């Protein structure tokens, strides 16, 4: 049952049609047996009265007084018809049904009693005593009341079913609206996730290109320029060219590893402290500037993301010294293992700069941005301490996250685009200060 049929059931259709049926059948048979104009006129009057009060004005059925007037007039007409022809007793039976479908509460039983009284009193039966008439009245009332009660139960159940169906339709419509809203929200979330993924991958590639190819090309360019300045010294030129070739190979290898999402080569077979020593030694050999590495606390394996982040920060800090602190004579790196965090400090005694200008106006500003992005991705803290003529110090503090099970003996993804939430439960407990060497 769908559509409009949900609002109008079979019982509703039957309830509307039964009064006409109970009136039409005795009228037809009465007129066929004996044509009497008064019967036709009264039958037409009863049908028109029902049409006017009930069929054409269904809202009036909710008004008890209007229905009481309707029922009284209908009962009077039926009583007159029964007085003319007892065949209209059938119409009186229909009045019992009307009493329970149109009259509310106790009024329905009053209507049944009135109908039974009319049927008993107007039906001509000579010789009936008052006791017999009373008995017939009571029996008719009881039987009609029982049948009417069943009708009332059926009607109430029908109303409850319609209310339930209506509620189900409203619930279904609400669920459909929610489903449509959820589908729209899911589409927006997928779009946002896709855009975030694209942005994250762009940032990852930008950091990796800067930390591998750009730094390698800078080192190669430095070696070639030094070789050009020492053309008269063949051994020095060869040494510079050899260093340039080594840088080119290492940069190419690191670029390939970045594209494949592998750990940096220095971390492949060594822990972070050893990798920092190796990177610093190569940097000193290339630039000719002395650099030292000190380790405090208890060195231990860390999550691949943590070790990769600190190594990249150290590489970028050393590259910045090469590019922007030519006057620096010493560089010191300190790796501090604490209970819940690990801190990397890099300090130099170069020219320094004005804080707040490096991120946008100075050459190589993206390096500082990339370092900060790497650290904050791990819910860490990145601090720069510098002033013109006083050297530069950077401090990277990240949670000391232990290695994942998949880190042991395997390459880990260094820059998976997980946000800070991936490490959000390892919070930075305050500012641990600068632990670098005084240089």
């Amino acid at each position: 049952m769908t559509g409009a049929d949900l609002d109008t059931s079979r019982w509703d259709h039957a309830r509307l049609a039964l009064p006409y049926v109970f009136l039409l059948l005795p009228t037809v048979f009465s007129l066929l047996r004996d044509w009497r104009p008064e019967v036709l006129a009264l039958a037409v009057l009863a049908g028109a009265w029902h049409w006017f009060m009930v069929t054409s004005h269904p809202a009036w059925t909710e008004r008890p007084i209007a229905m009481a007037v309707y029922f009284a007039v209908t009962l009077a007409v039926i009583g007159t018809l029964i007085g003319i022809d007892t065949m209209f007793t059938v119409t009186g039976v229909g009045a019992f049904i009307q009493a329970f479908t149109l009259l509310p509460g106790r009024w329905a039983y009053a209507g049944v009693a009135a109908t039974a009284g009319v049927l008993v009193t107007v039906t001509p039966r000579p010789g009936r005593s008052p006791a017999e008439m009373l008995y017939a009245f009571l029996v008719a009332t009881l039987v009609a009341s029982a049948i009417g009660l069943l009708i009332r139960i059926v009607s109430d159940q029908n109303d409850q079913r319609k209310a339930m169906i209506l509620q189900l339709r409203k619930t279904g419509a609400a669920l459909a609206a929610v489903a449509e809203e959820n589908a729209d929200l899911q589409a927006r979330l997928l779009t946002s996730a896709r855009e975030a993924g694209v942005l994250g991958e762009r940032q990852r590639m930008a950091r990796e290109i800067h930390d591998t190819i750009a730094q390698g090309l800078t080192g190669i360019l430095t070696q070639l320029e030094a070789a050009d300045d020492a053309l008269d010294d063949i051994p020095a030129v060869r040494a510079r060219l050899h260093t340039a070739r080594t840088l080119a190979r290492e940069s190419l290898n690191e670029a390939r590893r970045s594209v494949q999402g592998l750990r940096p080569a220095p971390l492949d077979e060594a822990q972070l402290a050893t990798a920092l020593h190796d990177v610093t030694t190569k940097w000193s050999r290339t630039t000719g500037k002395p650099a030292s590495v000190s380790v405090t606390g208890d060195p231990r394996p860390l999550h691949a993301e943590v070790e990769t982040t600190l190594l990249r920060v150290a590489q970028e800090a050393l590259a910045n010294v090469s590019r922007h602190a030519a006057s620096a004579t010493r560089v010191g790196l300190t790796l501090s293992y604490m209970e819940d965090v690990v801190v990397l400090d890099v300090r130099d005694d170069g020219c320094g700069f004005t804080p707040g200008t490096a991120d946008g106006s100075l050459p190589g500003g993206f390096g500082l941005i990339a370092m900060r992005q790497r650290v904050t991705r791990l819910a860490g803290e990145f601090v720069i301490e510098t002033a013109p003529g006083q050297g530069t110090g950077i401090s990277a503090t990240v949670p000391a996250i232990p290695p994942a099970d998949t880190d042991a003996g395997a390459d880990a993804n260094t820059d998976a685009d997980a946000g800070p939430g991936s490490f959000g439960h390892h919070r930075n407990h305050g500012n641990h200060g600068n632990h670098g060497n005084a240089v």
Side-chain angles (χ1 to χ4, degrees), residues 68-406:
V69 172
Y70 156 79
F71 195 77
V73 173
T74 300
L75 199 56
V77 175
I78 291 174
T80 305
L81 287 171
I82 294 175
I84 299 174
D85 191 338
T86 56
M87 192 172 292
F88 283 96
T89 304
V90 175
T91 308
V93 174
F96 286 124
I97 299 176
Q98 290 292 89
F100 276 97
T101 56
L102 298 177
L103 298 178
R106 296 179 179 178
W107 289 46
Y109 294 96
V112 167
T115 303
V118 170
L119 292 178
V120 171
T121 55
V122 301
T123 302
R125 274 191 191 175
R128 286 195 304 176
S129 64
E132 291 176 337
M133 295 180 64
L134 178 60
Y135 175 76
F137 168 76
L138 293 176
V139 171
T141 301
L142 290 175
V143 173
S145 297
I147 297 175
L149 181 60
L150 293 176
I151 294 174
R152 177 63 58 84
I153 293 174
V154 172
S155 180
D156 291 343
Q157 290 178 345
N158 181 65
D159 292 339
Q160 292 174 1
R161 186 176 62 85
K162 288 197 298 183
M164 181 178 65
I165 292 175
L166 180 61
Q167 182 63 37
L168 289 175
R169 292 173 63 187
K170 291 181 179 179
T171 303
L175 289 176
V178 171
E180 183 178 357
E181 183 179 354
N182 286 342
D184 182 61
L185 178 60
Q186 184 179 15
R188 292 201 301 268
L189 288 175
L190 289 175
T191 301
S192 299
R194 189 181 301 110
E195 293 175 352
V198 171
L199 178 60
E201 180 63 15
R202 287 176 178 173
Q203 292 177 345
R204 185 187 81 84
M205 292 306 300
R207 289 192 297 266
E208 290 301 317
I209 290 173
H210 181 273
D211 293 342
T212 56
I213 299 177
Q215 289 183 11
L217 290 176
T218 300
I220 293 171
L221 181 61
T222 301
Q223 296 301 316
L224 293 178
E225 290 175 347
D228 186 60
D229 294 337
L231 290 178
D232 296 335
D233 188 351
I234 301 301
V237 171
R238 289 178 177 175
R240 295 293 184 180
L241 292 177
H242 175 73
T243 302
R245 284 194 296 269
T246 301
L247 287 174
R249 293 191 186 98
E250 291 177 351
S251 298
L252 180 59
N253 181 48
E254 284 296 311
R256 288 170 176 168
R257 298 179 68 86
S258 296
V259 170
Q260 297 172 4
L262 302 178
R263 297 177 65 168
L267 290 174
D268 224 5
E269 297 180 356
Q271 292 188 7
L272 177 61
T274 304
L276 286 178
H277 278 288
D278 294 341
V279 168
T280 303
T281 300
K282 292 179 180 179
W283 180 84
S284 296
R285 187 167 57 247
T286 301
T287 61
K289 297 180 183 294
S292 62
V293 177
S294 61
V295 180
T296 64
D298 182 19
R300 58 190 184 273
L302 299 172
H303 194 282
E305 285 275 0
V306 175
E307 292 189 343
T308 299
T309 295
L310 294 178
L311 179 66
R312 292 304 192 197
V313 168
Q315 289 175 321
E316 177 59 27
L318 292 173
N320 281 345
V321 174
S322 301
R323 289 193 295 265
H324 310 303
S327 61
T329 59
R330 292 186 298 168
V331 180
L333 287 79
T334 302
L335 181 63
S336 303
Y337 289 90
M338 302 182 185
E339 181 179 358
D340 57 348
V341 296
V342 59
V343 183
L344 173 67
D345 296 294
V346 182
R347 296 188 63 85
D348 67 72
D349 61 351
C351 59
F353 58 88
T354 301
T357 63
D359 285 351
S361 60
L362 292 181
F366 180 77
L368 294 177
I369 296 175
M371 285 191 284
R372 188 181 301 278
Q373 287 178 347
R374 287 184 181 276
V375 173
T376 55
R377 280 180 66 251
L378 302 187
E381 182 180 9
F382 183 77
V383 178
I384 302 174
E385 296 178 356
T386 184
Q390 298 183 16
T392 301
I394 64 103
S395 177
T397 304
V398 295
I401 305 172
D405 293 340
T406 55

Side-chain angles (χ1 to χ4, degrees), residues 21-32:
V21 173
F22 278 109
L23 180 62
L24 180 62
L25 288 178
T27 300
V28 171
F29 284 100
S30 177
L31 292 177
L32 288 176

Side-chain angles (χ1 to χ4, degrees), residues 8 18 244:
T8 305
L18 280 177

